[in-house]
Amino acid sequence: MLIRTGRDGFQHPAGSEITPQAVYEDRRRMLQWMATGAAGAALASWAGREAFAQAARPGKLAALPGAKSNVAGAATMEKLTDYKDATTYNNFYEFGTDKADPAQNAHTLKPNPWTVEIEGLVKKPGKYALEDLLKLSAQEERVYRLRCVEGWSMVIPWVGYSLSNLVNRVEPMGNAKYIEFLSQADPKTMPFVGSRVLDWPYAEGLRMEEAMHPLTLLTFGMYGEVLPNQNGAPVRLVVPWKYGFKSAKSIVKIRFVEKEPRTAWNKAAANEYGFYSNVNPNVDHPRWSQATERRIGEDGLFAKKRKTLMFNGYEAQVGQLYAGMDLKKNY
Ligand SMILES: Nc1nc2c(c(=O)[nH]1)N[C@H]1C(S)=C(S)[C@@H](COP(=O)(O)O)O[C@H]1N2
Ligand SMILES: [Mo]
């Protein structure tokens, strides 16, 4: 519920898990942006704020609050996906290939204790306990759209911090050009590890510049709480300008390498899933178009399909990373 206060019409949620200090901070920052004349950005964050305000904590898991982060981009203008939809319609092949499987089967995943091993071309390799990773930088809540290559999307308030905080901490060497992310692959707790759909562990990768981009979120929570198992507890990536499969879940290893790493989906079908996998409405998947998407929760008879945006709506922020690259070849 929103109430209107003050002559400037600034809105903040009624009731309030937000401290007066935070509200004050938000208001002050809002006025500052408006003063800088960044009208587009201010508008986007304004709308995003309403979305945030409407996101009541689901009250299912431990709280993981994050300072609201004003990330410009398509999703900040949109209504949040219902928690229920975001946690019952998932891709997490370690727990089955049906969208309903992860919610049903992932209770066996043990997100605590958890360690992430950092290895390869870094000065400070080692095993990092989840608690230490959580403390490494302040948590932020960022509304990002997740666009699956299968043609659906969601808008989720993720909680985490820019992966660059961690990368800087472990001090990559000059020849570290890529980062490889490996998910847990434990056949005892993950019933479909061993199935032949994919090579296990689930593997993904980013070029160093992509990994260092502030939008790339090392994610520990959503909707103000820790991640549900089916969404990749206790730590996953969210790379909002790429198809969802780049956002590896339940990460146990982060490896700094010199050469472009192979990825799970690239190994499974190289002609369908390239390394970059930037959301691109102009490059079809070999078996279907990528021009439109269906928003989960809006799939009624009259729900319109939405036009997919270049880089999932983050072109202004990330387009430069691919300057001069042929995006049809580097799909
Ligand atoms: N380890 C692992 N990570 C994964 C997947 C997977 O099967 N295993 N699926 C990917 C795909 S295809 C998508 S669309 C997103 C889905 O994230 P969500 O369930 O939180 O919406 O997770 C990605 N990360
Ligand atoms: Mo996906």
Side-chain angles (χ1 to χ4, degrees):
M1 228 261 268
L2 292 162
I3 53 169
R4 197 169 277 272
T5 59
R7 267 176 306 173
D8 55 292
F10 177 74
Q11 295 175 322
H12 67 74
S16 192
E17 294 168 316
I18 300 173
T19 64
Q21 176 64 25
V23 169
Y24 169 77
E25 278 295 315
D26 279 349
R27 182 171 187 276
R28 196 175 57 83
R29 267 187 283 149
M30 174 79 76
L31 294 171
Q32 273 171 0
W33 290 318
M34 296 194 144
T36 63
L43 254 183
S45 54
W46 183 282
R49 189 144 308 285
E50 292 195 37
F52 284 135
Q54 284 155 8
R57 244 196 76 198
K60 305 253 186 214
L61 299 169
L64 184 66
K68 288 159 193 1
S69 168
N70 295 283
V71 182
T76 49
M77 306 290 287
E78 296 170 13
K79 182 177 171 292
L80 297 180
T81 299
D82 284 344
Y83 183 81
K84 178 124 202 283
D85 290 328
T87 55
T88 54
Y89 191 92
N90 301 100
N91 272 336
F92 200 169
Y93 275 27
E94 288 84 337
F95 296 99
T97 54
D98 261 33
K99 302 289 175 259
D101 286 344
Q104 249 165 37
N105 300 333
H107 57 90
T108 50
L109 176 79
K110 270 221 187 72
N112 179 25
W114 195 270
T115 52
V116 176
E117 194 166 356
I118 311 243
E119 59 176 45
L121 306 170
V122 286
K123 295 192 188 123
K124 293 183 178 163
K127 288 191 172 167
Y128 290 72
L130 183 71
E131 297 74 47
D132 297 331
L133 286 180
L134 273 163
K135 281 186 287 196
L136 198 86
S137 179
Q139 304 290 329
E140 293 176 27
E141 184 174 70
R142 299 186 187 170
V143 175
Y144 284 164
R145 180 192 307 186
L146 188 132
R147 177 22 167 116
C148 181
V149 73
E150 295 164 273
W152 48 266
S153 63
M154 303 189 190
V155 175
I156 294 177
W158 303 102
V159 183
Y161 53 73
S162 293
L163 174 68
S164 61
N165 292 309
L166 173 60
V167 174
N168 287 331
R169 176 63 66 98
V170 299
E171 299 178 28
M173 296 174 189
N175 54 343
K177 298 279 188 276
Y178 295 88
I179 307 182
E180 192 179 4
F181 302 89
L182 299 175
S183 297
Q184 191 181 55
D186 173 19
K188 288 198 291 292
T189 54
M190 299 171 138
F192 282 74
V193 162
S195 75
R196 282 186 293 173
V197 248
L198 290 175
D199 253 15
W200 311 100
Y202 192 93
E204 258 308 335
L206 295 171
R207 210 176 65 192
M208 188 59 80
E209 294 77 12
E210 300 176 318
M212 291 302 285
H213 193 283
L215 285 180
T216 301
L217 193 70
L218 191 65
T219 307
F220 302 91
M222 54 194 251
Y223 300 84
E225 301 184 350
V226 297
L227 286 170
N229 288 356
Q230 60 269 39
N231 293 84
V235 57
R236 66 175 292 172
L237 275 183
V238 182
V239 192
W241 71 93
K242 293 178 178 284
Y243 292 114
F245 65 86
K246 295 297 286 183
S247 296
K249 293 176 166 180
S250 305
I251 294 170
V252 291
K253 214 170 253 197
I254 300 180
R255 188 184 282 152
F256 290 71
V257 296
E258 187 160 8
K259 296 211 174 73
E260 186 183 286
R262 295 298 308 276
T263 65
W265 281 104
N266 184 255
K267 283 193 231 171
N271 62 321
E272 300 192 1
Y273 309 107
F275 178 77
Y276 284 94
S277 303
N278 293 317
V279 173
N280 189 340
N282 309 314
V283 176
D284 291 343
H285 183 280
R287 290 183 280 137
W288 57 78
S289 159
Q290 292 292 5
T292 61
E293 65 201 55
R294 187 169 63 82
R295 179 61 43 82
I296 296 304
E298 288 182 351
D299 41 7
L301 201 52
F302 301 105
K304 273 194 304 209
K305 277 218 180 176
R306 291 162 181 263
K307 272 203 174 141
T308 291
L309 299 172
M310 192 66 193
F311 294 110
N312 208 20
Y314 298 96
E315 184 169 19
Q317 290 96 323
V318 302
Q320 267 306 110
L321 291 175
Y322 309 101
M325 266 176 73
D326 180 347
L327 296 175
K328 288 221 157 95
K329 243 200 221 143
N330 296 284
Y331 57 87

